[in-house]
Amino acid sequence: MNSIENIDKKPVILSGITPSGILTIGHLTGALHNWVKLQNSYDCYFMIADQHAITVKQEPAALRKRTLDTAAMFIACGIDPETSNLFIQSHVPEHSQLTWVLSCFTGMGECGRMTQYKDKSEKHSENVGLFAYPILMASDILIYQANLVPVGEDQKQHLELSRNLANRFNFNYSETFAVPEPFIAEIGARIMSLQEPNKKMSKSDENSNATIFLTDSDTEIKNKIKRAVTDSGTGIKFSDEKPGIANLMTLYNISSGKSFKEIEEEFENAGYGDFKKAVGDSVANYLNPIRDKYFELRNNELKLKEILSLGADKARKTAMKTLRKVYKKIGFVSL
Ligand code: TYM
């Protein structure tokens, strides 16, 4: 690469979401919100991780639909496919090819200790894909030489494995991969269930009152927040002892832009009922334009597929470069 190209080169971001359900407000605050903020300053790769989805049983038609739903939601939330590379993971086969190589450098214990593996293998039936999932995630990141990975807090442990594998490979074969840093925002990196505020809000929660989906109507949002479990006592204060109120304050902060201090002042003399009403209105107003844009985009599937096809072509160019380098270093013959 010549020096002029080097000067122009922006640092690289990669991140993804697994299309195993309807996206929640947690995906927006923990991931998409930050992707949008960062997309003009970085060379961005944003993907829909369909290969990760099949680590638990998926109905094929539903997976196809949700993959496209997720792509439309990325754009509705503000990802610009002209600026960022937006693609479906299985459209770039180099991810799986690199996974095989990295698997040969990963100890069994490194995958076995992942908390998400332990949780999911208890809930669903176990399989090797579920066990090896963090290696595929490392490949997603390392194949684009990503410098920064914006994620929610639950992905931190997976990120650590990506960093270890990059360092290990670089040490054994000379500098090959950029070593990625996690980007975990201070606020919104862990939105909790509305019904059990000590548990992460999840797209697969059986109780739909626990989760705000990005496609929920205004009425659904307001009702879910009205029914949210709050803590005993009174007072709107941000504290670890009041996880229910802290969670609602986080949602209010993100949807209204008001700081925690401003929120505490605004509701100094108010009860939980008034506070919940304000949070419900604010979150509904915040999600309303996203939902409208989503349905508009989702109704034009041809256009959506065109965007994803272009995105995959662009992503593959970079991925192929890294894979070629890796194959050469480990001793595979090139013809
Ligand atoms: P996934 O699909 O479970 O979640 C996608 C992103 O959303 C964040 N997130 C949350 N943030 C705050 N509060 C919540 N309640 C909440 N729920 C989800 C997650 O932290 C994540 O950032 N394995 C990944 C997808 C993936 C990936 C990657 C991510 C595949 N390859 C490479 C980064 C880099 C996953 O299943 O995330």
Side-chain angles (χ1 to χ4, degrees):
M1 186 181 290
N2 67 37
S3 56
I4 296 176
E5 268 178 294
N6 262 329
I7 291 166
D8 287 345
K9 207 171 175 311
K10 289 179 181 173
V12 178
I13 278 186
L14 174 122
S15 201
I17 295 184
T18 305
S20 49
I22 304 170
L23 298 198
T24 74
I25 195 162
H27 294 109
L28 182 58
T29 64
L32 283 154
H33 187 75
N34 302 312
W35 301 1
V36 173
K37 276 203 226 154
L38 297 165
Q39 74 176 334
N40 290 320
S41 326
Y42 289 81
D43 184 11
C44 293
Y45 294 85
F46 296 125
M47 59 160 207
I48 300 109
D50 56 347
Q51 290 175 298
H52 284 260
I54 61 164
T55 55
V56 302
K57 201 167 177 343
Q58 300 290 334
E59 207 271 298
L63 177 60
R64 257 190 297 275
K65 178 183 174 301
R66 283 196 192 124
T67 301
L68 295 172
D69 291 349
T70 306
M73 197 51 99
F74 281 15
I75 305 173
C77 288
I79 298 301
D80 176 0
E82 304 260 322
T83 316
S84 301
N85 301 288
L86 171 59
F87 62 97
I88 298 174
Q89 185 183 31
S90 63
H91 291 179
V92 184
E94 286 75 14
H95 292 226
S96 334
Q97 290 173 288
L98 180 60
T99 301
W100 177 251
V101 176
L102 294 181
S103 300
C104 301
F105 292 85
T106 311
M108 303 292 281
E110 288 182 293
C111 284
R113 77 171 74 102
M114 295 289 164
T115 45
Q116 231 179 53
Y117 164 68
K118 289 185 199 157
D119 290 351
K120 283 195 178 172
S121 55
E122 258 173 42
K123 255 202 238 154
H124 311 274
S125 65
E126 238 188 311
N127 64 66
V128 177
L130 193 58
F131 180 77
Y133 159 116
I135 312 174
L136 176 59
M137 188 162 153
S139 305
D140 299 335
I141 297 166
L142 302 187
I143 201 126
Y144 298 105
Q145 306 287 348
N147 305 102
L148 203 67
V149 185
V151 282
E153 227 163 57
D154 61 320
Q155 298 298 323
K156 213 169 155 183
Q157 202 185 19
H158 295 156
L159 247 289
E160 208 40 55
L161 178 69
S162 306
R163 289 172 54 79
N164 289 343
L165 289 175
N167 280 319
R168 193 170 302 159
F169 197 96
N170 289 349
F171 180 77
N172 284 316
Y173 295 96
S174 80
E175 206 61 24
T176 309
F177 296 119
V179 181
E181 293 287 336
F183 176 93
I184 299 173
E186 251 170 63
I187 299 174
R190 198 168 166 79
I191 296 294
M192 310 311 276
S193 150
L194 296 179
Q195 292 299 312
E196 293 171 76
N198 287 313
K199 205 176 98 182
K200 187 189 83 166
M201 182 183 281
S202 158
K203 56 195 163 211
S204 48
D205 202 309
E206 275 153 24
N207 181 352
S208 65
N209 272 327
T211 307
I212 297 175
F213 295 105
L214 295 181
T215 48
D216 279 348
S217 69
D218 286 0
T219 313
E220 282 168 322
I221 295 168
K222 289 177 192 177
N223 283 339
K224 285 180 183 182
I225 291 177
K226 198 155 80 184
R227 290 186 206 120
V229 168
T230 38
D231 315 282
S232 54
T234 53
I236 312 300
K237 282 255 168 290
F238 193 90
S239 120
D240 288 345
E241 273 116 66
K242 286 173 164 271
I245 289 296
N247 197 34
L248 293 181
M249 284 180 75
T250 302
L251 291 178
Y252 194 49
N253 164 288
I254 285 172
S255 57
S256 71
K258 292 177 188 171
S259 69
F260 289 136
K261 190 163 173 289
E262 284 170 324
I263 299 170
E264 283 173 1
E265 280 165 12
E266 183 178 347
F267 295 98
E268 205 178 349
N269 299 311
Y272 286 168
D274 289 340
F275 174 57
K276 282 179 169 179
K277 180 168 182 328
V279 179
D281 290 347
S282 170
V283 172
N285 283 339
Y286 179 59
L287 295 186
N288 205 307
I290 294 177
R291 191 178 56 230
D292 288 353
K293 180 121 195 268
Y294 165 76
F295 284 118
E296 188 191 316
L297 289 159
R298 192 61 185 90
N299 283 333
N300 191 348
E301 202 162 297
L302 215 62
K303 173 93 185 116
L304 197 56
K305 285 186 171 171
E306 218 174 87
I307 290 172
L308 291 166
S309 167
L310 281 175
D313 288 347
K314 283 199 285 173
R316 269 204 93 180
K317 282 204 182 107
T318 315
M320 282 164 90
K321 246 194 238 171
T322 304
L323 190 71
R324 232 179 274 134
K325 206 159 54 157
V326 169
Y327 274 12
K328 193 169 165 201
K329 292 203 183 189
I330 55 173
F332 287 173
V333 173
S334 64
L335 298 173

